[in-house]
Every structure is written in structure tokens, then in C-alpha cells.
Amino acid sequence: MKNILKNEYDIQQMRISGKITANVLEMIEPYIVPNASTEDIDKICYYYITQVKQAIPACLGYKNFPKSICISINDVVCHGIPNKKLLLKNGDIVNIDVSVIKNNYYTDASKMFFVGSVSKKNKLLCKIAKKSLYLSLKCIKNKKKINTIGKIIQQYVEKKNFSVVKEYCGHGIGKNFHEFPHILHFYNQNDYIIMQTGMIFTIEPMVNEKAPFVHCMEDGWTVKTKDGGLSAQYEHTILVTKHGCEIITHQKNEKIPKILFNT
Ligand code: MF3
Ligand code: CO
């Protein structure tokens, strides 16, 4: 197996990078309002990442992605491209996905925002997506099986009568955007990989209101639900520790603690 374990120096650098990613998601909140253009939101993030934090937006230019962040609204599952003609409107649910590089270390996180007043039904979808991520964090610890993550997420989401997108998964992350191992958000009994202290990976479940099926638009990026149902996603970069995990991209307003001690 490739060496996928981080040393103390790597971990310190990932904490620095992760704090910047978290700060972007905290900073952007007041700008998520009706009539805001997604291009303006992207520009604010670009300025903050490059000028305030002296970091690099990892999405910009990645496989020719044209913007600094992904903004995915309502039935857009992921990889929505900011655009000056694309405005937020009252009632939208919006995922903002931020990846930064600081001192050559990548971190990745996303969360949902509500534009104006959002329906109870749509808030519930977001709540279930967030809780599926949080529940999975409680099973992370040195020596546990990685496929427990997907098992927990899928069981919880399907019990709530929502569905899990199967086409996109979490990933190891460090000096590269995407590293080994793959983190599926559904159960795979053939995945025997074991978590180890010093592994860092993302968990980023995409949860659909209706069917799990998705398709990619002509722009080559924007992924939407096939049936037009809404989709929600939360993502964190996670460090596996001896006794649990550390949320590398933890944000101030989160109810879950940054460091988890798991059984
Ligand atoms: N944040 C996404 C991930 O988890 C990256 C999207 S690639 C982009 O891999 F180019 F669209 F940004
Ligand atoms: Co990711």
C-alpha cells in the first residue's frame, strides 16, 4: 500500500490549510442573500483566499475548472460553476465547496446555506445530509474499517427516505487534491481498508430528495439530479487519530466538537 500516513509536520500544515478553508465558509455567510450573483460570491472568496490568507483556491484551473469555488444550487448536486447571470433567489438551498492550498497542502470542505426563507422540507434535506456526515465521524478511529463510513451514511439517509449519490466519493488529501483511499458514502462489503492514525481524508455525502441518479451538463462540470429533485452536501477534511478523529476544516458555528473521542 502507498504511504498515505501523514507525519507531524504534514498534520500541522494541514491544520493551517484547514483553518483557512473553514474561515472561507464562515466569512461568506452574510453574502448568501437573494439576488447575489454567484460570480460575485466567487470573487469575494478569491480575494479572501489569495489576498487575506495568501493561499491558492485549489479549484481554479483544476482540470480547467474556471472559478475558485463550486456553487451548487437546489437540484445541482455538485461542481456548479459561478456565473454573473446566475443569481441566488429566496428559498434556494446552496452548497459552497471550498478547497484551498496553503504551503502546498490541500484541504476541502463544503456546507449548505439557506437563501432568505427556506421551506421546512428543504431544510430537512440539508439537516439529514449534515447529520449523515456527523454520524459517520463518530465511527472514525485507528483500526476501524473504512467501509463503516459509507454503511452508516447510507443506512441513516435511506431510513429517512432520502438517497445517496453513488458516483462521487470522498478521498485522501494532503500534498495532492485527491489521494488514496477512496471514501464511499454507501456500503461496499469488498472494501477491506483499515483506518490508521495519521490518515487524512474527506467525507462528503451528497444526499438527494428523490432518486440517487445524476447527470452532467454540457458545460462538462455542473452535475444535476436526473429527476429534478433537490440535493444537499456537507464535506469535511478529517484526520484519523488513536482515539477518534480531528475535524481539520472545523468551523466556529458547528455544534459538533473539533476533536472527537470515539468508542
Ligand atoms: N471539492 C471537490 C472535491 O471534493 C473538487 C471539485 S473539482 C472542481 O473533489 F474543479 F470542480 F473544483
Ligand atoms: Co472533496
Side-chain angles (χ1 to χ4, degrees):
M1 196 166 67
K2 290 161 252 171
N3 181 25
I4 52 170
L5 302 183
K6 270 69 181 174
N7 61 33
E8 259 318 304
Y9 177 81
D10 295 328
I11 291 168
Q12 279 307 335
Q13 294 300 325
M14 290 298 282
R15 288 188 179 118
I16 293 167
S17 175
K19 194 173 164 99
I20 297 172
T21 295
N23 288 160
V24 177
L25 290 168
E26 293 159 1
M27 174 280 300
I28 204 63
E29 165 95 61
Y31 300 100
I32 311 302
V33 293
N35 293 316
S37 109
T38 53
E39 180 157 285
D40 289 341
I41 295 167
D42 176 75
K43 280 184 180 155
I44 293 164
C45 291
Y46 175 79
Y47 177 84
Y48 183 82
I49 293 166
T50 60
Q51 304 303 305
V52 180
K53 299 293 178 181
Q54 271 88 49
I56 299 168
C59 293
L60 185 62
Y62 173 76
K63 295 186 178 172
N64 291 321
F65 189 80
K67 299 288 176 179
S68 295
I69 56 170
C70 299
I71 306 184
S72 304
I73 306 170
N74 296 333
D75 63 330
V76 178
V77 175
C78 63
H79 303 167
I81 306 174
N83 182 304
K84 64 177 183 303
K85 289 185 204 146
L86 183 57
L87 309 184
L88 302 183
K89 58 183 194 306
N90 186 54
D92 284 348
I93 58 167
V94 181
N95 176 276
I96 296 196
D97 192 337
V98 176
S99 309
V100 313
I101 314 166
K102 179 70 175 179
N103 303 333
N104 299 318
Y105 287 84
Y106 289 74
T107 52
D108 194 357
S110 83
K111 62 168 284 194
M112 300 301 296
F113 295 88
F114 301 147
V115 183
S117 55
V118 165
S119 72
K120 250 184 156 169
K121 173 175 87 71
N122 297 355
K123 279 185 177 166
L124 178 68
L125 174 67
C126 297
K127 184 177 157 183
I128 301 304
K130 186 198 275 186
K131 193 154 172 206
S132 76
L133 170 61
Y134 283 2
L135 279 176
S136 74
L137 299 181
K138 295 183 204 289
C139 79
I140 296 182
K141 186 177 177 169
N142 187 36
K143 298 194 166 89
K144 301 267 182 181
K145 288 175 73 177
I146 282 200
N147 72 0
T148 313
I149 295 170
K151 189 173 168 183
I152 288 174
I153 290 170
Q154 183 174 28
Q155 273 177 3
Y156 176 71
V157 167
E158 292 180 357
K159 188 181 78 187
K160 296 292 179 181
N161 288 313
F162 293 121
S163 64
V164 175
V165 174
K166 312 292 189 301
E167 284 81 352
Y168 299 91
C169 52
H171 47 91
I173 184 165
K175 280 187 238 179
N176 305 285
F177 205 164
H178 301 103
E179 298 180 352
F180 188 83
H182 293 288
I183 308 291
L184 303 189
H185 305 116
F186 56 96
Y187 184 54
N188 172 13
Q189 64 173 44
N190 298 319
D191 182 357
Y192 302 107
I193 309 286
I194 304 293
M195 297 179 206
Q196 288 177 73
T197 302
M199 267 188 187
I200 298 186
F201 51 73
T202 73
I203 308 177
E204 45 183 306
M206 295 163 208
V207 175
N208 290 359
E209 177 191 24
K210 298 175 185 167
F213 311 114
V214 302
H215 62 163
C216 189
M217 301 296 102
E218 298 270 282
D219 62 21
W221 282 106
T222 311
V223 176
K224 290 189 181 181
T225 61
K226 267 200 177 153
D227 58 18
L230 302 193
S231 188
Q233 180 182 26
Y234 285 80
E235 172 175 21
H236 269 310
T237 299
I238 303 298
L239 166 68
V240 178
T241 64
K242 184 165 179 218
H243 299 290
C245 66
E246 178 177 328
I247 306 174
I248 293 290
T249 47
H250 186 269
Q251 297 137 47
K252 282 188 198 90
N253 49 12
E254 288 189 83
K255 292 209 177 73
I256 194 165
K258 183 181 172 80
I259 297 175
L260 275 70
F261 297 90
N262 292 327
T263 47

